[in-house]
Amino acid sequence: MEPTKSNRVLLTVVQKFQIVRRESRIEAGETLTKLSKEFGVGASTVEDMRRDSEKIKKFYAASSGKSAKLRKTMKCANDEKLDNVLYKKFIQKRCEGVALSGVMIQQKALNFNSNSEEAKNSKLEVDG
């Protein structure tokens, strides 16, 4: 008999939050097995979420409602400051009616990054 391979299940941020929220069913005594069957993931996945509950709660609080319903990963930008500046510039241009492409946004990110003090310092260290 061949072993069956289970499909990979990715939960949205909202679903992860439902598992770990403060009045969680885990704290109320509900078993991990029952939760894992309800959400279609392994018991170890539910345990991992319980362990990372603070990170999930913070990410859920920081994300908007629509974003949390669609997102399945909780990866953040490497440079939060650059990300915020770029996002504000993007919103400003969209309000002005300017159509932006991915290439244009990438180029603007490179320009902002090359002008930042951190980038200048790292160039000096490399050139040494």
Side-chain angles (χ1 to χ4, degrees):
M1 181 174 173
E2 284 186 35
T4 59
K5 185 172 182 176
S6 60
N7 291 332
R8 183 174 181 184
V9 177
L10 293 174
L11 300 177
T12 64
V13 174
V14 171
Q15 290 171 319
K16 291 175 185 178
F17 181 73
Q18 289 173 348
I19 291 174
V20 300
R21 69 176 173 244
R22 189 178 312 263
E23 300 81 35
S24 176
R25 298 178 291 187
I26 296 171
E27 294 170 4
E30 193 164 345
T31 64
L32 296 176
T33 307
K34 186 174 180 183
L35 281 172
S36 68
K37 286 182 182 177
E38 180 181 335
F39 286 94
V41 295
S44 61
T45 303
V46 175
E47 177 62 30
D48 291 342
M49 283 185 236
R50 189 186 63 76
R51 187 185 64 234
D52 296 334
S53 63
E54 288 304 314
K55 181 180 172 184
I56 293 170
K57 289 175 186 176
K58 286 179 185 176
F59 193 86
Y60 179 78
S63 63
S64 65
K66 186 176 181 181
S67 169
K69 289 178 183 176
L70 300 175
R71 288 191 72 154
K72 295 186 179 188
T73 60
M74 298 190 305
K75 294 181 181 176
C76 296
N78 291 336
D79 187 351
E80 290 290 328
K81 186 177 177 182
L82 175 64
D83 191 50
N84 289 335
V85 169
L86 209 62
Y87 182 70
K88 287 177 185 176
K89 192 72 169 174
F90 173 77
I91 295 298
Q92 177 187 6
K93 291 294 182 183
R94 289 297 298 259
C95 288
E96 294 172 3
V98 177
L100 299 171
S101 68
V103 174
M104 293 169 72
I105 294 170
Q106 288 174 341
Q107 187 61 44
K108 190 55 87 171
L110 290 172
N111 290 342
F112 278 130
N113 195 29
S114 65
N115 292 333
S116 73
E117 196 63 38
E118 184 178 308
K120 291 176 185 175
N121 290 339
S122 65
K123 287 179 186 176
L124 289 174
E125 292 172 8
V126 172
D127 294 338

